[in-house]
Amino acid sequence: GENVEQHPSTLSVQEGDSAVIKCTYSDSASNYFPWYKQELGKRPQLIIDIRSNVGEKKDQRIAVTLNKTAKHFSLHITETQPEDSAVYFCAASINAGGSQGNLIFGKGTKLSVKP
Amino acid sequence: DADVTQTPRNRITKTGKRIMLECSQTKGHDRMYWYRQDPGLGLRLIYYSFDVKDINKGEISDGYSVSRQAQAKFSLSLESAIPNQTALYFCATSDPLREQETQYFGPGTRLLVL
């Protein structure tokens, strides 16, 4: 089955710097890659996702890149702010013919943004 | 997101006790999921249901059972709780036809098994 590895497990950056979180997946059939943000004591919420027919997607300060050949995808946060501090989870699934596969999550990255 | 609710929010129980965690949603989604979150282990799927008549085991179903009482309700039971089931439990919903693959999580239930 699918396996998703996420690195680093913790990341500390200064406010204004960029942060990058990387994930690798094992099943080449995976074609949907979401990122969820979980603030302390809160529920995970989707912040951005990418499908395998796209190499990069941006939403303001957040971007995700996908390298299908290498089977890895990354989350990039620019101009980090204290409110970006949270645990970030990557995930992968196989969606085919309108049928959504289950999400397999990475173990999470705790991002701390220091003022 | 008040559309997905979980009860109780916190629960302390003893080894061997039966406990039920409940999830309700007003989003009208057919698909519902139960996940377990442990520090450093991410979110792991326990059970999932694509409709009222469809129940499937996830990655870590041993020691758990579920019931899909209606489209809006999905309950998780621990028949005989053990300490290593101490964790944060999340319910989630999705509707691929209307909202693509996004999963909406409930607020979580923090369970402590003594």
Side-chain angles (χ1 to χ4, degrees):
Chain A
E2 175 65 280
N3 182 52
V4 177
E5 299 282 344
Q6 183 172 348
H7 299 279
S9 57
T10 61
L11 179 60
S12 182
V13 300
Q14 289 295 134
E15 184 177 357
D17 287 350
S18 295
V20 181
I21 302 170
K22 299 180 180 181
C23 289
T24 61
Y25 60 99
S26 60
D27 192 335
S28 58
S30 290
N31 56 8
Y32 174 66
F33 308 94
W35 287 88
Y36 282 78
K37 175 183 180 182
Q38 185 181 27
E39 297 176 0
L40 186 63
K42 303 289 186 180
R43 70 193 77 192
Q45 291 189 301
L46 179 72
I47 55 171
I48 194 168
D49 57 13
I50 192 168
R51 291 169 181 78
S52 59
N53 59 347
V54 176
E56 182 176 3
K57 184 177 180 180
K58 290 183 179 180
D59 183 3
Q60 299 182 334
R61 296 185 297 108
I62 294 173
V64 58
T65 58
L66 171 65
N67 183 326
K68 289 188 293 183
T69 302
K71 290 189 287 187
H72 68 70
F73 56 112
S74 300
L75 178 70
H76 304 254
I77 305 174
T78 58
E79 301 174 17
T80 54
Q81 301 169 3
E83 52 264 40
D84 294 329
S85 296
V87 178
Y88 291 82
F89 293 99
C90 63
S93 73
I94 301 170
N95 300 322
S99 175
Q100 175 197 350
N102 292 322
L103 292 177
I104 304 299
F105 285 89
K107 294 182 178 180
T109 296
K110 183 177 181 180
L111 173 64
S112 299
V113 180
K114 299 181 178 180
Chain B
D1 191 339
D3 295 338
V4 185
T5 58
Q6 292 182 232
T7 57
R9 294 294 311 279
N10 295 279
R11 180 71 184 266
I12 300 174
T13 192
K14 295 182 179 180
T15 297
K17 294 291 187 181
R18 183 179 187 275
I19 183 171
M20 179 181 288
L21 309 183
E22 298 186 345
C23 176
S24 294
Q25 54 111 348
T26 59
K27 300 183 77 66
H29 289 175
D30 285 330
R31 299 187 177 192
M32 298 187 73
Y33 311 81
W34 274 104
Y35 290 94
R36 168 177 173 163
Q37 184 176 21
D38 298 276
L41 293 180
L43 293 156
R44 293 182 292 168
L45 184 62
I46 306 172
Y47 270 95
Y48 61 101
S49 169
F50 283 178
D51 64 43
V52 175
K53 298 179 181 179
D54 179 74
I55 303 289
N56 302 281
K57 292 182 177 181
E59 178 187 354
I60 53 166
S61 59
D62 288 349
Y64 302 94
S65 63
V66 291
S67 173
R68 184 80 184 268
Q69 301 94 324
Q71 185 202 38
K73 296 185 182 297
F74 193 34
S75 300
L76 176 71
S77 293
L78 287 66
E79 298 300 326
S80 180
I82 56 177
N84 76 1
Q85 291 178 312
T86 293
L88 181 58
Y89 291 86
F90 284 103
C91 171
T93 74
S94 72
D95 186 342
L97 292 179
R98 290 188 293 162
E99 301 190 52
Q100 300 187 50
E101 299 92 338
T102 304
Q103 291 196 12
Y104 295 87
F105 286 81
T109 294
R110 193 169 295 278
L111 176 65
L112 173 61
V113 183
L114 300 175

